[in-house]
Structure formats: C-alpha cells, structure tokens
Amino acid sequence: MRIRIKKPGLLSTIQDAGRIKFLAQAVPISGALDQLLSGIANKLLGNADNDAVIEFTYGGILFTTETDCLIALVGLGAFFKANEIKIPLNRPVFIPKGTQVFIENNTQGSHSYLAVAGGWNVPEVLGSKSTFLTASFGGFEGRQLQENDVPSSNEQLSLTSQIILAQLQGEKINYTMWSVPPKQFLTNTANTIRVILGREFEWFDESAIADFLTKPYQLTANCNRMGYHLDGPVLNRKNSHQQELLSTAVAPGIIQVTGSGALILLMADCQTTGGYPRIAKVAEVDMPLCAQLKPGDLLNFEPISMEQAEILYLNQEKDLRKLNHAIQFKFNII
Amino acid sequence: MAHNHTKFLIYPISEKAVSIEFGQKIEAEIMKRISNLNRLILENPFIGLDCTVPAYTTLTLFYNPVKVISDKNLSGKFCFDKVSNYLSQMAQTNDNSIEKPKDIINIPVCYDEQFGLDLDELSILHQVPKEKIIKLHSSAIYTVFMIGFVPGFAYLGGMPELLASPRKLTPRKFIPAGSVGIAGQQTGIYPLETPGGWQIIGKTPLTLFDVNREQPSLLKAGDSVKFNPISLANFQSYHEDKD
C-alpha cells in the first residue's frame, strides 16, 4: 500500500511508540505526541502497537492513494474527505487506488494520526521508526514529509489485518459502521490537567505554589515537539532555594520552571537532561490532552498522588489491551 | 514516596522513571559511585528496565510499568515501590572500591583561528596568550560527567581553573558540528550543528554521534578524555580520508 503526499500540511512526520533505549546518549524518546490516538490507529487495523504512523499537525493535508489502501485516521477534530465524500474518523477504512484524500481539521484538536495496514515502512534507527528532526534521523529520511514523498506500508500483514482487509476491500470506499472514539479512554476531558508534584516543588514559595495550582496557564505559540511554553503567573522560588540545579534526567510531561519563573511543559522530543527545577509532571494519562492543545488554549493544574497516577496509567493500558480483543471480535476473528 | 538513606535519596520523576540522587555537588567520588552503580544495574537488570541515565549526582532508571507491575521478583505494591526497592538494594550492594581501569580516549582538536571563534576573546578575558589556553586545554585529562543536551553531547569535567569562562551573552544561532567549547568549569564538543552559548575554541574532525555505530555516541558517562592539538593541514586530511 502506497500514498503520494500532495500537500504535507504544517508538520507531518512518521512516529511510533518511541525510542527508549538510548537516553543515556542523549537521544530523546520522540514518538507520537498523542500516544493514545496513535495506538488506537494501529489497533483499528490489527497492527502492532509500535508500528509507525503519520502524525499530522492541524489540517490542510492532501494525498492520493497509489494502490488500494486500508487505513485509519484517528483524531479529535480532524476529518477526511475522499473524492469529496466525507469519511468518518476512528475506524478502519478501505480506499481504492487513485483516490484523492483531504484531511481537514476543526477546532477540537491539533494532532491526528494516519495508520496503514502493516505500518508505514521506514527503517528502524536505534530501535525506533520515529523521526527526530533536530538530529535528522529516523522516520522518512530523518525529515518531515514533503510534497511528492511516497510513503509505503510493510507488505507483511498480521492475520487480523488480512481479515479486516478481506472484509472491507472492493471497488469503492468502504468502512465499518462502528468506530472507536478515543475519548472513551480518557478519564478526564476538561482542561484540568492532573499533575504529580516534582522533585523541586518545594523550591517555590507559597504564593507560587498557590498560583500554579489555582490559576490558568495558556499555551503560547512557542510550542513544538520538544516543549510547550506556557504563559501565566510567574513562579518565584524561596530565598533559600536560589541555587542552580545540576542537570539531571527529565522526561516528557515534566514541567520545568525557567530562571525567569516561566513554565515549559516538556514533550516527546525533549532533551534527556535538564537543569531547570521540576515543579511537577503531567500524569501520563493526561498527556493526550496536552498533545491536542492549541496556542491560546487555557489549562489548569490539579495535583494527584504518584499512586493515583500509576493506577490511572495501568488501567488505561488494560483498557487499550482489551480494545485489541474487541476489534478482533468485531471481525469475528475470535 | 521517597526512600531516604544517609547516602542517597530515591524519588520518581515520572510514572515510568525513578531517580537515585547522591548529594547535590559535583564530586569525583559521587561520579564514581554512579558509574559503578550503573554498571551493576545494567549487569543485573529487572524485567521491564528500558534504560538508565547517569547525570552529575543522579542515576535514573526508565522502565515499562506494564512489565514491572507483574514482576514477582520485585517487592512492593506499585511500580515505583518495586523499582525503588530494587534501586535501594543495588545502591547498598554497590561496592565503590572497585576501580575499573579506563583507557583514555584521545580526541584530535584543531585550535586554528578559523575554528576557535572565541580564542581571542578568551585570551583577553584571562589575560594569557592563546597558545597558553590551547596548551592548558589540551594537557588535562577530563572525565565525561554526562551525555545531555543533544545526542552525543559530552559534558567534560576536570578543566584547569584558569580556563573557566562564562557563557556568551548572546548564544550563537549555529555552532558547527565538532566545535569544542567552554562554559563555566566545563568543556564539551558539539556533535551536531545546533544553537549554543559556549565559548568556541577549536574543532575536532571526529564524528561524535553516528546512528550507524553500535554505540552511536563516541563518548559515554565515566569515560576519560584527552584533547590532542592538530594542525589545520592535519584536520583537513581527516576529512579527505573520510571522503
């Protein structure tokens, strides 16, 4: 299966579940910003969870199918049109060769994910297919997708993928009546982002802590795959904690406070180490909400315990594993 | 939540990572402890350990919670308990008396003025001739404190005091790959062309980071490093060999 990119949109990259083995050499984790949506896109087609997907930023994307394709587009606001017919999201879709596909976006989200049966075929670099733009490796030739690129899928399909294809393929566009809305896996829908308190939380003075936990912050236009700069109350440190922090490991989701008291939320391509105090970390289960924020969006932070965060995460993983069975059940595979 | 011990503190930084911290100062003894503990852990990993990240005073373990939660060999109710208990046990087993002999990694550096963009400035700042700066920089044996910032960027400690220099007031938008810089009491090499605020004194023809190598980063935490001055002609011949 093969598509030709006609309009790549703002930033389209190939991503997977991430590159976790080389952090000690300062190779970031990368991977899809919204692991929930990219994971669902793969599951809808019977792919492995770490198969490569295309991450789109906003809309304005146009591609044509150069072969028959079995694909899934998962997004919160995005929708796609094939030969001017609107196709619903969040389900397996068969699209015949020679179809023009537009991906548009409404106001609900910022990143959507396109999976193909078998996964997009790009070489593994350091154990992952994710694109890391800063060092120009991984994904599609280490760069964002451009006009006339022709990403293709792996030819080897899982048994589930083969059965889904056999049931949907034909002369015309075809898709299932059922869908998997990603929101059912979120335990939070408001822009109240749950956080675990960070190691340096106590470095901040009382009014800073009160501001952080009660006042809204706004995503600025200074946001990319490495990090989101947030606008809001400046957080001052206690007089007793003005020292420099020696650089230490950081991870996506950590909220750093810069020397001037501004917040940076670290995202998938963040550095592996950092020297700014870590006031908090966004709960893993709420990272998909952050990945869909747009500049201007407001968010609040609410503290939860490490135990709660871990239980929420493990439960979400359990629900997602059940989804594999549910999809196989839909296609009478089990 | 945090495991306290007289010598260390253990705390989670994420649902997927736990750090162990040995104080808050750069010390040779701490670096050695972290390096030994890192080796011990990599030789005795638990199921679900993804990788470790050594830094100045911390070692961080990244893990897969789905695997860790079902690992019966680790005691504790939650993943971070399980990993913390493991880490605490490993830290107490860690025998810091073991001294692993280390080879010194030699890195050729051309300190020619076309690469040493800030040599003149540093010469004025420290009121010593450029030759002295080069001699001091290339005579010390450095230790890789950690790899951070961008893939393969090594923070090297052990620089002669006299060379300690503040970062540039305005960072450069582009620093060529291979550039050798100084910031505060550390020196380092830029593996990729990136923005940066370090004072640039030379350039190495070596490739610091290459995804096609088994160990992509030329340097890793704990390595010993020495810089060998080379001439411009010698520098250029490295590139000819490569082409």
Side-chain angles (χ1 to χ4, degrees), chain A residues 218-295:
Chain A
Q218 188 173 42
L219 181 61
T220 67
N222 189 357
C223 59
N224 56 34
R225 287 186 42 87
M226 292 179 73
Y228 288 4
H229 289 250
L230 306 177
D231 209 5
V234 163
L235 304 184
N236 293 316
R237 293 194 212 166
K238 290 175 185 164
N239 288 332
S240 53
H241 287 82
Q242 297 291 332
Q243 74 269 33
E244 291 271 314
L245 175 70
L246 282 175
S247 281
T248 180
V250 292
I254 285 179
I255 303 170
Q256 295 183 324
V257 183
T258 67
S260 60
L263 304 190
I264 303 174
L265 166 60
L266 300 179
M267 298 302 283
D269 281 353
C270 71
Q271 292 180 17
T272 53
T273 58
Y276 288 129
R278 300 158 290 183
I279 191 166
K281 179 196 175 275
V282 170
E284 210 57 36
V285 288
D286 284 353
M287 282 303 279
L289 292 171
C290 296
Q292 296 298 341
L293 291 171
K294 293 181 299 301

Side-chain angles (χ1 to χ4, degrees), chain A residues 13 15 78 126-127 168 221 227 277:
Chain A
T13 56
Q15 300 293 343
L126 306 180
L168 292 178

Side-chain angles (χ1 to χ4, degrees), chain B residues 47 67-76 82:
Chain B
I47 295 163
K67 289 185 186 163
V68 170
I69 201 71
S70 52
D71 186 344
K72 300 276 186 291
N73 294 319
L74 298 174
S75 64
K82 286 169 174 274

Side-chain angles (χ1 to χ4, degrees), chain A residues 20 25 199 248 281 284 310, chain B residues 15 21 51 58 79 152 216-217:
Chain A
I20 191 68
Q25 296 179 40
R199 165 76 177 122
T248 180
K281 179 196 175 275
E284 210 57 36
E310 189 179 305
Chain B
E15 294 94 324
E21 179 183 299
C51 68
T58 59
C79 292
S217 177

Side-chain angles (χ1 to χ4, degrees), chain B residues 44-59:
Chain B
N44 303 281
F46 55 87
I47 295 163
L49 176 69
D50 282 324
C51 68
T52 61
V53 180
Y56 294 102
T57 64
T58 59
L59 179 68

Side-chain angles (χ1 to χ4, degrees), chain A residues 86-247:
Chain A
K86 198 169 164 183
I87 299 173
L89 282 177
N90 308 331
R91 65 193 76 209
V93 179
F94 174 81
I95 299 188
K97 180 183 173 176
T99 309
Q100 280 215 329
V101 182
F102 283 97
I103 298 179
E104 311 253 325
N105 197 273
N106 68 18
T107 51
Q108 288 179 43
S110 51
H111 295 97
S112 51
Y113 294 87
L114 183 72
V116 65
W120 296 106
N121 181 18
V122 293
E124 262 195 14
V125 178
L126 306 180
S128 162
K129 293 172 175 170
S130 292
T131 316
F132 177 47
L133 295 170
T134 307
S136 306
F137 64 73
F140 196 94
E141 298 173 6
R143 59 171 174 81
Q144 65 186 90
L145 291 170
Q146 295 167 359
E147 190 183 343
N148 278 322
D149 282 343
V150 182
S152 60
S153 68
N154 293 301
E155 291 188 5
Q156 189 79 32
L157 299 188
S158 72
L159 184 62
T160 306
S161 302
Q162 289 173 37
I163 293 170
I164 298 172
L165 180 62
Q167 291 192 22
L168 292 178
Q169 72 183 350
E171 303 277 296
K172 290 189 196 149
I173 294 167
N174 193 11
Y175 48 81
T176 61
M177 286 302 112
W178 53 266
S179 69
V180 178
K183 277 190 177 160
Q184 64 181 308
F185 295 95
L186 292 173
T187 41
N188 184 6
T189 48
N191 275 4
T192 299
I193 305 292
R194 291 165 293 186
V195 295
I196 314 161
L197 303 184
R199 165 76 177 122
E200 287 77 45
F201 181 78
E202 287 171 3
W203 286 27
F204 295 88
D205 67 25
E206 265 175 55
S207 76
I209 287 172
D211 283 347
F212 177 69
L213 295 175
T214 58
K215 303 246 172 87
Y217 280 81
Q218 188 173 42
L219 181 61
T220 67
N222 189 357
C223 59
N224 56 34
R225 287 186 42 87
M226 292 179 73
Y228 288 4
H229 289 250
L230 306 177
D231 209 5
V234 163
L235 304 184
N236 293 316
R237 293 194 212 166
K238 290 175 185 164
N239 288 332
S240 53
H241 287 82
Q242 297 291 332
Q243 74 269 33
E244 291 271 314
L245 175 70
L246 282 175
S247 281

Side-chain angles (χ1 to χ4, degrees), chain B residues 14-241:
Chain B
S14 136
E15 294 94 324
K16 301 175 178 181
V18 168
S19 292
I20 182 166
E21 179 183 299
F22 301 91
Q24 298 188 348
K25 277 201 203 95
I26 298 178
E27 283 173 26
E29 184 64 19
I30 292 176
M31 306 294 306
K32 198 176 107 188
R33 187 172 292 278
I34 289 171
S35 177
N36 280 336
L37 178 59
N38 190 32
R39 192 171 342 111
L40 185 68
I41 287 170
L42 293 177
E43 285 166 3
N44 303 281
F46 55 87
I47 295 163
L49 176 69
D50 282 324
C51 68
T52 61
V53 180
Y56 294 102
T57 64
T58 59
L59 179 68
T60 303
L61 276 55
F62 284 77
Y63 58 87
N64 179 338
V66 175
K67 289 185 186 163
V68 170
I69 201 71
S70 52
D71 186 344
K72 300 276 186 291
N73 294 319
L74 298 174
S75 64
K77 186 174 174 199
F78 295 96
C79 292
F80 71 83
D81 284 330
K82 286 169 174 274
V83 176
S84 297
N85 287 333
Y86 162 89
L87 199 43
S88 176
Q89 207 178 346
M90 283 295 177
Q92 287 170 69
T93 315
N94 187 21
D95 180 359
N96 214 34
S97 62
I98 300 166
E99 194 83 55
K100 207 184 145 205
K102 268 182 294 195
D103 291 334
I104 294 173
I105 298 168
N106 281 293
I107 299 192
V109 176
C110 177
Y111 294 93
D112 188 88
E113 58 191 9
Q114 77 173 80
F115 302 133
L117 308 173
D118 297 313
L119 271 175
D120 283 328
E121 199 178 313
L122 292 187
S123 165
I124 295 164
L125 176 75
H126 299 300
Q127 302 198 320
V128 292
K130 285 192 279 187
E131 293 70 26
K132 177 88 185 282
I133 292 176
I134 296 166
K135 191 155 193 289
L136 282 170
H137 189 260
S138 57
S139 58
I141 308 270
Y142 300 91
T143 304
V144 178
F145 282 160
M146 106 183 156
I147 308 291
F149 175 46
V150 290
F153 188 101
Y155 292 84
L156 305 173
M159 189 170 67
E161 287 281 336
L162 196 136
L163 295 180
S165 314
R167 283 175 167 79
K168 295 192 80 68
L169 286 176
T170 314
R172 287 190 171 90
K173 286 212 170 74
F174 303 102
I175 292 184
S179 293
V180 177
I182 290 176
Q185 295 185 19
Q186 298 186 72
T187 183
I189 312 161
Y190 284 83
L192 318 168
E193 184 185 284
T194 53
W198 291 33
Q199 308 276 359
I200 303 302
I201 60 168
K203 189 173 169 181
T204 176
L206 299 187
T207 303
L208 271 294
F209 185 85
D210 180 353
V211 292
N212 298 314
R213 290 195 295 235
E214 193 180 345
Q215 184 196 298
S217 177
L218 181 68
L219 303 174
K220 60 180 192 302
D223 282 349
S224 297
V225 171
K226 191 173 181 302
F227 294 112
N228 287 338
I230 57 170
S231 66
L232 188 57
N234 198 339
F235 179 92
Q236 281 155 350
S237 71
Y238 268 90
H239 283 276
E240 281 157 18
D241 291 348

